[in-house]
Amino acid sequence: MSAQPAVAAAPPTARFRPPAVPKVSVSGFWGDRVDAVADRTADILYERCVAAGMLDQIDPDRPVPALRIPFHVTDGFTASTVTTQMFWDSDLGKTIETAAYCLYRKPNPELEAKIDAVIAMFEKLQQEDGYCSSWYIRMQPGKRWTNLRDCHELYCAGHLIEGAVAYYQATGKRALLDVMIRYADHIDRTFGPKPGQKRGYCGHEEIELALVRLARVTGEPRYMDLAKFFIDERGRQPHYFDAEARARGADPADFHFKTYEYNQSHLPVREQDKVVGHAVRAMYLYSGMADIATEYGDPTLRTALDRLWDDLNAKRLYVTGGLGPSADNEGFTADYDLPNETAYAETCAAVGLVFWASRMLGMGPNRRYADVMERALYNGAISGLSLDGSLFFYENPLESRGGHNRWVWHRCPCCPPNIGRMVASIGSYMYGEAEGEAAVHVYGASHATLDIGGGRTVRLTQETNYPWEGAVRVTVDVDAPTRFALSLRIPGWCRKATLSVAGITVDLAAVTVDGYARIDREWRAGDTVDLALEMAVERIYAHPEVRADAGRVALQRGPLLYTLEGIDNPVALNRIRLPDGAGFTASFEPDLLGGVTTLAATAEADATAGWNGDLYRTERPARQAAPIKAVPYYAWDNRAPGEMLVWLRGG
Amino acid sequence: MSAQPAVAAAPPTARFRPPAVPKVSVSGFWGDRVDAVADRTADILYERCVAAGMLDQIDPDRPVPALRIPFHVTDGFTASTVTTQMFWDSDLGKTIETAAYCLYRKPNPELEAKIDAVIAMFEKLQQEDGYCSSWYIRMQPGKRWTNLRDCHELYCAGHLIEGAVAYYQATGKRALLDVMIRYADHIDRTFGPKPGQKRGYCGHEEIELALVRLARVTGEPRYMDLAKFFIDERGRQPHYFDAEARARGADPADFHFKTYEYNQSHLPVREQDKVVGHAVRAMYLYSGMADIATEYGDPTLRTALDRLWDDLNAKRLYVTGGLGPSADNEGFTADYDLPNETAYAETCAAVGLVFWASRMLGMGPNRRYADVMERALYNGAISGLSLDGSLFFYENPLESRGGHNRWVWHRCPCCPPNIGRMVASIGSYMYGEAEGEAAVHVYGASHATLDIGGGRTVRLTQETNYPWEGAVRVTVDVDAPTRFALSLRIPGWCRKATLSVAGITVDLAAVTVDGYARIDREWRAGDTVDLALEMAVERIYAHPEVRADAGRVALQRGPLLYTLEGIDNPVALNRIRLPDGAGFTASFEPDLLGGVTTLAATAEADATAGWNGDLYRTERPARQAAPIKAVPYYAWDNRAPGEMLVWLRGG
C-alpha cells in the first residue's frame, strides 16, 4: 500500500451530488441538533401548523375558513396570532419534509400517522386536472394562475414537491409523490414556450429547485426542462408580470415592492450581477440556477452565479452568514449596508444560502463556496432554532438591547420548518459524491455511505470533536481496494493545517485544489486520514465601508462566530473595548448551553464612576479592566433575555 | 464712579420675565436668522397652510371639506400630501404668531391683510357661547369636549391664544384677542372644580402656558388660575381620561399609546420624576409648570421641575439639545437611549425645551437652565429650518447616510410655524428683566430695552461676533444714573472667561452666582462691560451608558456643536477616526453657509485599499491620513444631499 497520494493537477470534472439524507448518520455537535429537531421540533411544527388553522384551509371535508380569522398559537408561555395565508401549503410542505428526515433518525409512528392524514387531505383536494393549491381551490376559486407575481402559487407547489420527495424517500410511501407528479404534469402543461402555454414564472422562486429534485427522484427529464424554462424566462421582456397585471385589470406600476428587483425578475438571470431584492427569493433562485448549471453544464449560468457570489461575499453578507439587512423588503439594500441591531437576516435566508452554496458544490468541491456554507450553517442559520428545538428566530440581528427574543410562531411561519428541514438533513450538506470522487465539505462526527459510481460504495467515518476541536480522523471502509479521490476541505479560517494518510504526512500544498486536499489513491478498508486544523481565536475586521462595524472587531474560533451576552458580562456591552493585546482562553464548558467552548479575556470598560449626573463632558471616560466571556453566536438567547453584541469596540 | 461692583452674596429673588419681542432688536447671527423668517418663512407658512386646505376647514363661508381629501403642498421641487387634521387651528395659530413677530422686523402689509382675513374667519366661526374650535364646529359637530385625550381641542385653543396675544402686541389689533378672550372665558366656565364643570385637561399640553400669556397681557387672574387648575388636575385619580373614554362608550384600555405616560398624565405632576412620553407634550407641560411655579411661587412645582430637569439632562438629551429619540411615541424611551441615525428629535421638541428652559429662568438667572437653552437654540432647534427659511426638518438625527433631507411641508405641520415663531421672537429669550435686575442669557449682537421696575428703563447694546467669537461688549444706556444688577451668563462650555466693567477687571469668582456674573452697581449711560469668553474647540464624550456614542467624540466650539458632511469630506464618514493629538484650525468662511466658522484637522481613515474583494479579514484595516472639515450642526443639509455624522470615532 502506497501512503503517498497521487497529486491532482486539475480539479475534478465530475458532477457532484449530495448524498441522500439516510446515507449519512451524524453524532456529536450535529447529532445533538438533529435530535432536538427529531425529538421536539418536528412534532411542534405539526402542532403549531394545526393550531394556526392550516388544516382547515386544505381539508376539503371541512368548511372553508373565513379570511382573516385570527388563530392563536401558543406554547403556554408566549403566543402568536396568525390569520389564513396563501402560502400555507408551503409551510405544510416543509413540515412534511422535516418529519420525513426525522423518521430516519428515530421512528415516530404518531407523527407519521398525522402526516399521512395531511397527505390524504391533499389527495382529496387535488383537482381532476392535477391542480393542487389549497388557496385557489378553496379560498379564491377561479383565480388560479392570475397573479404569479404576488401569490406564491408555484412556490407552494415547489415546497409540496420537496416534501413529497423527502417523504417518499423516508417512508417509501408514494401517495404525496403521486399527487405532486400529477401536479407537476399539470404545471408542465400550463407553462412553457408552446402556443397556449403561459410563459410565466413564480414571484417567489422555489419551484425551480423543487423540480430538479423531482426529476432526480423520478428520472423524468421534463421536470428538469421545466425548471430550466422557469429560469430562462425570468426577467425577459415583455415582462410577464406586467402583462399578467394588465390581464387582471391592474396597473403594473401598482406593485407593492415597486421594483422587480424584489423578485429578481428585473433582468434575465444571466445578465444579473448584483444580489438584490428579497433575500430568500434570491437564494432560492440562485440554488435553482446552480442545479441547472450543473445538470446542463451551462457555463453562462455559472458565470452569472459567480458574479452574484462575488457580489454577495464582497458587499452584503453578515459575518454570521446572515443576509438581507432590511425588514422593508426582507432583503438587500445598498453596498456594505449591514446594520447590526436592525439586521433582518431572516433565518430562511441563511438556510437559502446553505442551499445555494451546497448546489455550487455540484460543480466540484471548492472552498470558495463551502467556507460560506459552513459559516451560514454553524452561525446565522442554526441561530434561528433554540437549543431545545422549540422556539424560533425570524430575524437574526448581531446586536440586541435585550428585547429580541425567540418566539413560538410567526404570522409568516416560513422559518421554523425551513431550519427544521435543514438541520434534519444536515448529513447531505456534509458530503459530496461523484463518479470516482468523494468529498467532505463540513466536518462533524458522522458516518456516511457514498456512491462513487459503477456500483461502488464507500463508507466514511468521521471521528472528531468539531467544531470544538480541529482534529478530524476519517476512516475509509470499502468492500475491496478501490481507487477514488477523497477531497477534504481545508477551511479558509485555518492558518495551519496538517494532513496525514495512514499515518504519513502529506504535502498539503501539493494536493490542494480549490481549497480541498484531494487524495486520489487506491483506498483499502481501515485506511485513515488525519486532519489537524489549528483552531485559534481570530479577531475579524470588516471592510471599512461597513459603517456599522467601523472600529469594531468580531471573534471567531474555527467555524464559530462568537458573541457577548449580558448574562455572562456584567457591564453594558458597548462600554467594553477589546484591547489589542488581550489574549483569549478557550474552555469547553460541558454544562453550558448544551456544551460549548467559551472564550474569556480581560478587556476594558468605560467607567461610569465620576460622571456626577453629567451626560456629556470634555474628559474622555476612564477605563477599567473588565473580564469578558463570549459564547457561540448560534447559542445566544437560550437563557434569560438580555443584551447581545457581536461586534465589539476595538477595531 | 466706583468701578468695583458690589458682590452678590445671594441670587436675586425677583421674578424674571422675558422682554416682549419688540423690545429687542437683533443683528449679526440671529439677525440673519430672523431676516430669513421675516423675508421668506412667514409668507411660506401662510401659503402652505392655505395649500394644505386649512382655510377650507375654518372658513364658515366655504363648504365643509370632506375628511381625508388629499391636498398637495409643493414649492415646485418637492411636495407633501396632507389631509384634513383636527389640529389645524394650532398651525394657523402659530402661523399668526410668527407673522406677528415678523411685523416688528419689517412691515408686510400683504401678509398682514391675509392674516386679518384669517382672523375674520375665526371671528365668524366663533359660536354664541364663545366656543371656537373649527374641527368640532365644522368637521365633527356635537362632539366637543368628548375626547380631550386624543383630539387636541384645548391645545388648538392654546396656540390660537398665543397667536392672538402676539398679533395684538404687534399690531394693536384686538379682533383675535377678543375672540380668544371669549373662548378662554368659555373654557373657564366649562372646566374647573365646581359642580357641573369638567375636571379635565388636554391630552396635548399647551393651553396651560397660553393661559399664562393671556393672563399677563390682559391682567385677568382667572386665566392664570385656570392654567394652574389644568396643571393641578393632571394625572389625578380617578383618571379623567378613563372616565371620559367610558362616557364615549369606549374602553379606556384601547388607548393607542397604551400608557398615560405618553401625555404625562400617569401621575400627578408633582409626583413625576422621569421625563416620559411624547417629547413636545412633556416640554409644553413643564413650561406651563414653570410659569405657574414662578407666578405662584410654588416650591412643590419647582422641586418636581428640578427633578425632571435632572432626569432629562442626565439621561435623555442629545448633545444637540434635541430630545425624544423614538418615532413610535414621538418621544422618550429608556435611560441613555440616544440613537443617532434614527433619532426622532423633533424640531418642536427642541423648541419646547427652549420654552421650558426660558421659563425656568423666571425663577432667576441660572446657568443650569440657560446653558441648555443655548444648546438647543443654536443647534437642535434651528437645525429644523433651512438657512434661507424655506425648507424644514421634522426629525433632527445626528447621523445620516444621505437620505435625510429637508422638506417643503408635512402631514403634521407643527414644526415649521414652531421654529418660525421661536426664531422670530429670539430677542425675548436673550434677555431677562425684573425689579432692579437685568440679565443677558444668550449672547448675540442686539439692542434691548428692559423694564427694571419703578418706571425705570435700561437700554443694553450687545456688540459681538458671537457665536463665532467670544468677545462681548455690553454698553449700558440709562436716562440717569441707576442702580440695578446686571447678570451676564458665564457659559458652562467656557474654560476661561474674563470680565471688565468700564475697563476695570472684575474678580469673576467673587461675583458669580448660579453661573451668572451679577454686577450690582449704579450704572451710567455709556458704561461698558467687556466679557471675553475663551472659545476653544472641545472634544465632547458621552456617558458610557449611551451605547450609540461609545468610543466616539463630538466637536463643539463655543455654543455650537459641529458635524461632518459628505460634501466636505471625501471618505465615508464612519471610516474616519479622530486621533487624540489632532489639532483643530477654526476659520471663518464668509461665503460658506451664510458665513460660518469651520473646523479643520488631520484625522485618520481606515484604508479600503488592499481588501481584494474581501468583506471580512483577520488583519486590522490600515489607516491613512485624512483631512477633515466640520461645519456647525445647525447648517447641515443646506447644500447637496449627503452623509452627515456628529459622533466621530475616536472616543
Side-chain angles (χ1 to χ4, degrees):
Chain A
M1 163 183 149
S2 157
Q4 275 309 38
V7 172
T13 53
R15 290 179 202 164
F16 279 72
R17 289 190 184 182
V21 175
K23 292 167 68 185
V24 184
S25 104
V26 295
S27 54
F29 180 90
W30 285 106
D32 291 346
R33 311 303 319 122
V34 176
D35 281 339
V37 174
D39 291 340
R40 302 207 60 190
T41 316
D43 290 301
I44 281 172
L45 292 176
Y46 173 82
E47 287 159 16
R48 293 183 192 164
C49 284
V50 171
M54 292 191 191
L55 303 190
D56 293 337
Q57 179 172 308
I58 64 161
D59 185 356
D61 291 339
R62 305 188 195 190
V64 173
L67 293 176
R68 309 206 176 282
I69 291 290
F71 294 90
H72 302 283
V73 182
T74 176
D75 65 348
F77 300 99
T78 54
S80 173
T81 300
V82 300
T83 59
T84 316
Q85 296 283 7
M86 59 180 64
F87 41 72
W88 274 355
D89 288 352
S90 73
D91 299 309
L92 287 167
K94 285 185 280 187
T95 295
I96 293 167
E97 189 179 348
T98 305
Y101 300 142
C102 290
L103 294 178
Y104 298 124
R105 187 82 184 171
K106 43 190 86 174
N108 187 340
E110 295 80 8
L111 180 61
E112 190 171 336
K114 290 170 185 167
I115 298 293
D116 285 339
V118 173
I119 289 170
M121 293 176 198
F122 278 109
E123 276 191 289
K124 207 164 192 173
L125 179 74
Q126 187 165 42
Q127 307 291 286
E128 283 281 313
D129 60 1
Y131 185 82
C132 197
S133 149
S134 70
W135 183 262
Y136 283 106
I137 292 170
R138 287 172 48 81
M139 309 297 287
Q140 291 202 309
K143 299 280 188 191
R144 67 162 82 160
W145 310 134
T146 57
N147 189 352
L148 297 179
R149 187 188 70 188
D150 301 328
C151 293
H152 300 72
E153 204 167 357
L154 288 165
Y155 166 86
C156 283
H159 277 303
L160 283 171
I161 288 169
E162 288 202 89
V165 168
Y167 201 69
Y168 164 68
Q169 290 175 323
T171 64
K173 296 178 188 169
R174 291 193 56 101
L176 188 58
L177 185 66
D178 287 337
V179 169
M180 286 301 125
I181 286 172
R182 288 193 293 273
Y183 193 12
D185 290 340
H186 172 83
I187 294 168
D188 188 41
R189 288 192 299 274
T190 306
F191 292 90
K194 292 182 223 144
Q197 288 185 307
K198 295 177 189 295
R199 298 191 71 133
Y201 41 86
C202 194
H204 196 317
E205 303 91 328
E206 154 66 20
I207 186 70
E208 301 83 357
L209 69 87
L211 287 167
V212 171
R213 292 186 72 178
L214 187 63
R216 285 176 177 164
V217 78
T218 60
E220 173 55 73
R222 274 190 298 115
Y223 304 141
M224 198 73 84
D225 290 343
L226 182 57
K228 184 170 185 299
F229 166 81
F230 285 135
I231 285 168
D232 291 346
E233 283 300 312
R234 193 166 205 90
R236 285 206 175 148
Q237 293 294 345
H239 203 288
Y240 185 80
F241 294 156
D242 284 351
E244 182 195 59
R246 280 190 288 265
R248 284 197 307 274
D251 181 350
D254 283 344
F255 178 43
H256 177 73
F257 293 99
K258 302 298 175 201
T259 163
Y260 289 149
E261 288 191 352
Y262 175 72
N263 52 37
Q264 299 81 38
S265 71
H266 56 300
L267 285 172
V269 298
R270 289 171 182 78
E271 296 172 28
Q272 296 188 22
D273 57 6
K274 274 185 83 161
V275 173
V276 295
H278 186 276
V280 180
R281 292 173 202 236
M283 294 305 108
Y284 283 16
L285 169 63
Y286 308 151
S287 296
M289 286 166 64
D291 277 341
I292 295 300
T294 299
E295 292 290 341
Y296 291 81
D298 183 334
T300 62
L301 276 177
R302 172 139 201 189
T303 301
L305 285 165
D306 275 330
R307 271 199 317 262
L308 293 164
W309 187 266
D310 284 346
D311 181 61
L312 178 74
N313 281 278
K315 294 176 184 166
R316 45 195 106 253
L317 188 63
Y318 283 103
V319 70
T320 54
L323 55 161
S326 171
D328 287 345
N329 65 346
E330 301 191 302
F332 299 100
T333 54
D335 291 357
Y336 301 109
D337 179 32
L338 294 163
N340 292 311
E341 192 178 355
T342 61
Y344 199 69
E346 186 182 336
T347 300
C348 282
V351 169
L353 177 57
V354 171
F355 293 167
W356 181 21
S358 73
R359 283 161 170 87
M360 295 303 279
L361 297 172
M363 295 175 267
N366 193 326
R367 188 169 79 187
R368 176 172 146 77
Y369 312 117
D371 276 0
V372 173
M373 180 170 80
E374 180 181 67
R375 180 181 291 276
L377 271 175
Y378 275 102
N379 301 289
I382 57 167
S383 57
L385 182 64
S386 68
L387 293 178
D388 70 356
S390 71
L391 295 171
F392 308 96
F393 274 147
Y394 200 97
E395 300 98 333
N396 292 273
L398 285 77
E399 178 176 358
S400 168
R401 303 184 197 190
H404 185 78
N405 306 112
R406 298 173 183 279
W407 36 259
V408 63
W409 204 241
H410 197 278
R411 63 173 180 77
C412 172
C414 49
C415 297
N418 223 0
I419 188 64
R421 68 182 178 137
M422 189 207 81
V423 168
S425 60
I426 183 65
S428 70
Y429 300 100
M430 294 171 74
Y431 295 92
E433 59 188 20
E435 176 70 35
E437 304 271 351
V440 185
H441 299 308
V442 174
Y443 299 107
S446 54
H447 178 77
T449 304
L450 303 180
D451 175 0
I452 58 165
R456 295 170 301 165
T457 293
V458 171
R459 292 172 293 279
L460 301 180
T461 301
Q462 270 195 71
E463 292 170 277
T464 177
N465 201 16
Y466 200 89
W468 312 120
E469 293 171 24
V472 179
R473 166 168 286 191
V474 178
T475 304
V476 176
D477 185 29
V478 281
D479 294 330
T482 307
R483 175 156 184 175
F484 68 94
L486 175 61
S487 292
L488 299 160
R489 183 172 63 101
I490 310 300
W493 53 257
C494 181
R495 287 175 188 258
K496 188 177 169 210
T498 56
L499 180 71
S500 63
V501 176
I504 297 171
T505 302
V506 171
D507 175 2
L508 257 186
V511 297
T512 300
V513 179
D514 292 335
Y516 279 69
R518 183 163 182 265
I519 319 293
D520 185 357
R521 69 197 289 273
E522 187 180 83
W523 297 90
R524 295 174 181 231
D527 281 355
T528 56
V529 180
D530 283 291
L531 181 62
L533 302 170
E534 195 176 273
M535 202 174 257
V537 178
E538 300 282 358
R539 285 168 160 81
I540 307 289
Y541 301 91
H543 190 284
E545 292 286 344
V546 182
R547 62 186 299 134
D549 302 339
R552 291 181 178 262
V553 57
L555 300 172
Q556 185 172 328
R557 181 175 177 273
L560 295 174
L561 207 274
Y562 277 74
T563 193
L564 266 59
E565 286 197 273
I567 193 171
D568 300 314
N569 296 281
V571 303
L573 300 180
N574 236 7
R575 284 174 54 195
I576 294 169
R577 186 180 175 284
L578 187 64
D580 283 351
F584 280 90
T585 307
S587 317
F588 187 74
E589 300 192 38
D591 298 328
L592 183 68
L593 296 165
V596 294
T597 295
T598 60
L599 309 182
T602 299
E604 302 169 339
D606 291 339
T608 52
W611 276 77
N612 305 319
D614 284 338
L615 187 51
Y616 303 105
R617 71 181 194 192
T618 54
E619 188 190 341
R620 173 194 298 278
R623 287 181 182 152
Q624 63 199 36
I628 62 169
K629 176 171 168 176
V631 297
Y633 173 79
Y634 77 82
W636 89 275
D637 196 45
N638 276 285
R639 294 172 289 170
E643 261 199 298
M644 183 274 290
L645 186 66
V646 168
W647 287 99
L648 307 180
R649 290 166 52 203
Chain B
M1 161 184 151
S2 158
Q4 276 306 36
V7 172
T13 54
R15 291 179 200 162
F16 279 71
R17 290 189 183 180
V21 176
K23 291 166 70 186
V24 184
S25 109
V26 295
S27 53
F29 180 90
W30 285 107
D32 291 347
R33 311 303 318 126
V34 175
D35 281 339
V37 174
D39 290 341
R40 303 207 59 192
T41 316
D43 290 301
I44 281 172
L45 292 176
Y46 173 83
E47 287 159 16
R48 294 182 192 163
C49 285
V50 171
M54 292 190 191
L55 302 190
D56 293 337
Q57 179 173 309
I58 65 161
D59 185 355
D61 291 339
R62 306 189 195 189
V64 173
L67 292 175
R68 310 206 175 282
I69 293 288
F71 294 89
H72 302 283
V73 182
T74 176
D75 65 349
F77 300 98
T78 55
S80 173
T81 300
V82 301
T83 59
T84 317
Q85 295 283 7
M86 58 181 63
F87 42 71
W88 274 354
D89 287 353
S90 74
D91 300 309
L92 287 167
K94 285 185 280 187
T95 296
I96 292 167
E97 189 179 348
T98 305
Y101 299 142
C102 290
L103 294 178
Y104 299 123
R105 187 82 182 172
K106 41 190 86 173
N108 187 339
E110 296 80 8
L111 181 60
E112 189 172 338
K114 290 169 185 167
I115 298 294
D116 286 339
V118 172
I119 289 170
M121 293 175 197
F122 278 108
E123 277 191 286
K124 207 164 191 173
L125 179 74
Q126 187 164 43
Q127 307 291 286
E128 284 282 313
D129 61 0
Y131 186 80
C132 198
S133 149
S134 71
W135 182 262
Y136 283 104
I137 292 170
R138 286 171 50 81
M139 309 298 286
Q140 292 203 308
K143 300 278 188 191
R144 67 162 82 162
W145 310 135
T146 57
N147 189 352
L148 297 179
R149 187 189 69 188
D150 301 328
C151 294
H152 299 72
E153 204 167 358
L154 288 165
Y155 166 85
C156 284
H159 276 304
L160 283 171
I161 288 169
E162 286 202 271
V165 169
Y167 201 68
Y168 164 68
Q169 289 175 323
T171 64
K173 296 177 187 169
R174 291 193 57 100
L176 187 58
L177 184 66
D178 287 337
V179 168
M180 287 299 125
I181 285 171
R182 288 193 293 272
Y183 193 12
D185 290 340
H186 172 82
I187 294 168
D188 187 41
R189 288 191 299 273
T190 306
F191 292 90
K194 291 183 224 145
Q197 287 185 307
K198 295 177 189 295
R199 298 190 71 133
Y201 43 86
C202 194
H204 196 318
E205 303 91 328
E206 154 66 20
I207 187 71
E208 301 83 357
L209 70 88
L211 286 167
V212 171
R213 292 186 72 178
L214 187 63
R216 286 175 178 166
V217 79
T218 61
E220 173 54 71
R222 274 191 298 117
Y223 304 141
M224 198 74 83
D225 291 343
L226 182 57
K228 184 170 186 298
F229 166 81
F230 285 136
I231 285 168
D232 291 345
E233 284 300 312
R234 193 166 205 90
R236 287 209 174 145
Q237 294 294 346
H239 203 286
Y240 185 82
F241 294 156
D242 284 351
E244 183 195 60
R246 282 190 286 266
R248 283 196 309 273
D251 180 351
D254 283 345
F255 178 44
H256 177 73
F257 294 98
K258 303 296 177 203
T259 163
Y260 289 148
E261 288 192 352
Y262 176 72
N263 52 37
Q264 299 82 38
S265 71
H266 55 302
L267 285 173
V269 299
R270 288 171 183 78
E271 297 173 25
Q272 297 187 22
D273 58 6
K274 276 186 81 163
V275 173
V276 295
H278 186 275
V280 181
R281 292 173 203 238
M283 295 303 108
Y284 284 15
L285 168 63
Y286 309 150
S287 297
M289 286 166 64
D291 277 340
I292 295 301
T294 299
E295 292 290 340
Y296 291 80
D298 183 336
T300 63
L301 276 177
R302 171 139 200 189
T303 301
L305 285 165
D306 276 329
R307 272 199 317 261
L308 293 163
W309 187 265
D310 285 346
D311 181 62
L312 178 74
N313 281 277
K315 295 176 184 166
R316 46 195 104 252
L317 188 64
Y318 284 102
V319 69
T320 54
L323 56 161
S326 170
D328 287 345
N329 64 347
E330 302 192 301
F332 300 100
T333 54
D335 290 358
Y336 301 110
D337 179 34
L338 294 163
N340 292 310
E341 192 178 356
T342 61
Y344 198 68
E346 185 182 337
T347 300
C348 282
V351 169
L353 177 58
V354 171
F355 293 167
W356 181 22
S358 73
R359 283 163 170 85
M360 294 302 279
L361 297 172
M363 295 176 267
N366 192 328
R367 188 169 79 188
R368 175 172 147 80
Y369 312 116
D371 276 359
V372 172
M373 179 171 80
E374 180 182 66
R375 180 180 292 275
L377 272 174
Y378 274 103
N379 301 288
I382 58 169
S383 57
L385 181 64
S386 68
L387 293 178
D388 70 356
S390 70
L391 295 171
F392 308 96
F393 274 147
Y394 200 97
E395 300 98 334
N396 293 274
L398 285 78
E399 178 175 359
S400 168
R401 304 184 196 192
H404 185 77
N405 306 112
R406 297 172 184 280
W407 36 259
V408 64
W409 204 242
H410 197 278
R411 64 173 178 75
C412 173
C414 49
C415 297
N418 223 359
I419 187 64
R421 68 182 178 137
M422 189 207 81
V423 168
S425 59
I426 183 66
S428 70
Y429 299 100
M430 295 171 74
Y431 295 92
E433 58 188 19
E435 176 70 32
E437 304 270 351
V440 185
H441 300 308
V442 175
Y443 298 106
S446 54
H447 179 76
T449 303
L450 304 179
D451 176 357
I452 58 165
R456 294 169 302 165
T457 292
V458 171
R459 291 173 293 280
L460 300 179
T461 301
Q462 270 195 71
E463 293 170 278
T464 178
N465 200 17
Y466 200 89
W468 313 121
E469 294 170 23
V472 179
R473 165 168 287 190
V474 178
T475 305
V476 176
D477 185 27
V478 281
D479 294 331
T482 306
R483 175 156 183 175
F484 68 94
L486 175 61
S487 291
L488 297 161
R489 183 172 64 100
I490 310 302
W493 53 256
C494 181
R495 288 176 188 259
K496 189 177 169 210
T498 55
L499 180 71
S500 62
V501 177
I504 297 173
T505 301
V506 171
D507 175 3
L508 256 186
V511 298
T512 299
V513 179
D514 293 336
Y516 279 68
R518 184 162 182 265
I519 319 293
D520 185 358
R521 71 197 289 273
E522 186 179 83
W523 297 89
R524 294 173 183 232
D527 281 354
T528 57
V529 180
D530 283 290
L531 182 63
L533 302 170
E534 195 176 272
M535 202 175 256
V537 178
E538 300 283 358
R539 286 168 159 81
I540 308 288
Y541 302 91
H543 189 284
E545 293 286 344
V546 182
R547 62 187 298 135
D549 302 340
R552 292 180 177 261
V553 57
L555 300 172
Q556 184 170 330
R557 180 176 177 274
L560 295 175
L561 206 273
Y562 277 73
T563 192
L564 266 59
E565 287 198 272
I567 193 170
D568 300 314
N569 296 281
V571 304
L573 300 180
N574 237 6
R575 284 174 54 196
I576 295 168
R577 186 181 175 285
L578 187 64
D580 283 350
F584 280 89
T585 307
S587 317
F588 187 74
E589 299 192 39
D591 298 328
L592 183 68
L593 296 164
V596 294
T597 295
T598 60
L599 308 182
T602 298
E604 302 170 340
D606 291 339
T608 54
W611 276 77
N612 305 319
D614 285 337
L615 187 51
Y616 303 105
R617 72 181 193 192
T618 54
E619 188 189 342
R620 175 194 298 277
R623 288 182 181 151
Q624 62 198 37
I628 62 169
K629 176 171 168 176
V631 297
Y633 173 79
Y634 77 82
W636 88 276
D637 197 45
N638 276 285
R639 294 172 289 171
E643 261 198 296
M644 182 275 289
L645 186 66
V646 168
W647 286 99
L648 307 180
R649 289 166 52 205

